[in-house]
Amino acid sequence: MEYLVEFGTICTVVLLACMSPGPDFIAVTSNALVSRKRGLLVAAGIAVACFIWAALAIFGLGVLLTKVAWLYDVLRIVGAAYLIWLGTKMLYAASKKQPAPALAPLNDLAGSSFRMGFFIGITNPKSAAFFGSLFVAILPLDAPTWVHMTTVGLVGVVALAWFSLLAVFFSISGVRSSYARIRRPLDAVMGVALLGLGTRLAASR
C-alpha cells in the first residue's frame, strides 16, 4: 500500500519521542501509582495534546508558532511554571509521612487528571517544531489530504497507546506496593526532575 513506509517511519519516530523521559512520563507514572484510572486519564490528555500539535503542524501553523517569538515564549513560560509547580507539590508530598496523592485531588478526578495531561502536552511549544520538521522531512509535498489526516490520527494513537501502557504497568498491584515502600524518596526524585525540566524549559529559547 502506498505511503506505508512513511506511516511506519512517523509512528516509529513518534514512539521514540514518547519513550524519552520527560514531564509527560513523570505525570503518567506518578498518577498511575495512585490509581489506574488517574494514569489513563493523564495519558488521554497528553495524547489529545499531541493530536492537536500534529494537526497544527500539518497545516503549517506549528512552524509558524515557532517563528512568532512572543507567543512561543508565552507557551514556554506557562509550561515551565506549571512543571515547577507540579515539582514543588511532589516535593511537599515527599515531606509528608502519610501517603497522599501528590499531584491531583481525588475530587473531580476525571477533569483534573485529564487537564493535567493535556496542559503538560499543549504548553510544550517544542512540539510544534518537532512535528513540523518531522512531517516536512517524511511526507511528500504532494501527499493527498487523506494522508495528512491519517498521519495526525496515527500520532494520537501512538501517543495514547504508549502512555496508556505506562499507566497500566505502573498501576499493577505489585508495582504500586513497591512504590508505597519508597514513596517519599521516589516522590522527591520525581519532584526534583520536574523542577529541573521546568527550569530548563524556562531557560531555553
Side-chain angles (χ1 to χ4, degrees):
M1 180 180 174
E2 195 177 7
Y3 298 108
L4 271 182
V5 174
E6 287 84 357
F7 290 153
T9 302
I10 287 173
C11 287
T12 301
V13 175
V14 172
L15 177 60
L16 291 174
C18 289
M19 292 173 68
S20 62
D24 41 15
F25 177 89
I26 296 175
V28 171
T29 55
S30 58
N31 277 275
L33 287 167
V34 176
S35 77
R36 177 169 297 181
K37 181 178 180 181
R38 178 178 288 186
L40 289 173
L41 286 167
V42 174
I46 294 171
V48 170
C50 290
F51 179 88
I52 292 175
W53 277 124
L56 291 175
I58 282 290
F59 293 105
L61 298 178
V63 176
L64 177 63
L65 174 64
T66 64
K67 297 183 181 299
V68 182
W70 68 267
L71 184 55
Y72 183 94
D73 285 341
V74 167
L75 273 178
R76 178 174 57 82
I77 295 301
V78 170
Y82 187 62
L83 293 181
I84 291 172
W85 177 74
L86 287 179
T88 303
K89 286 196 71 175
M90 293 203 74
L91 286 175
Y92 176 73
S95 68
K96 291 184 175 182
K97 293 184 179 181
Q98 297 297 324
L103 292 177
L106 288 175
N107 58 323
D108 189 25
L109 174 62
S112 60
S113 299
F114 179 86
R115 284 195 300 270
M116 174 185 293
F118 179 78
F119 201 74
I120 286 175
I122 209 66
T123 56
N124 183 7
K126 293 183 178 180
S127 297
F130 169 74
F131 286 117
S133 60
L134 176 66
F135 297 156
V136 168
I138 296 176
L139 293 179
L141 292 176
D142 58 348
T145 302
W146 72 268
V147 172
H148 292 158
M149 295 177 63
T150 302
T151 299
V152 173
L154 287 173
V155 168
V157 169
V158 170
L160 180 61
W162 169 251
F163 289 115
S164 295
L165 181 63
L166 277 183
V168 170
F169 175 76
F170 280 92
S171 62
I172 295 173
S173 58
V175 177
R176 292 179 65 188
S177 61
S178 299
Y179 161 74
R181 292 193 293 269
I182 58 170
R183 182 190 70 84
R184 295 176 67 190
L186 187 58
D187 280 356
V189 169
M190 290 191 290
V192 170
L194 284 174
L195 285 173
L197 289 167
T199 303
R200 187 175 69 176
L201 181 59
S204 66
R205 305 292 294 179

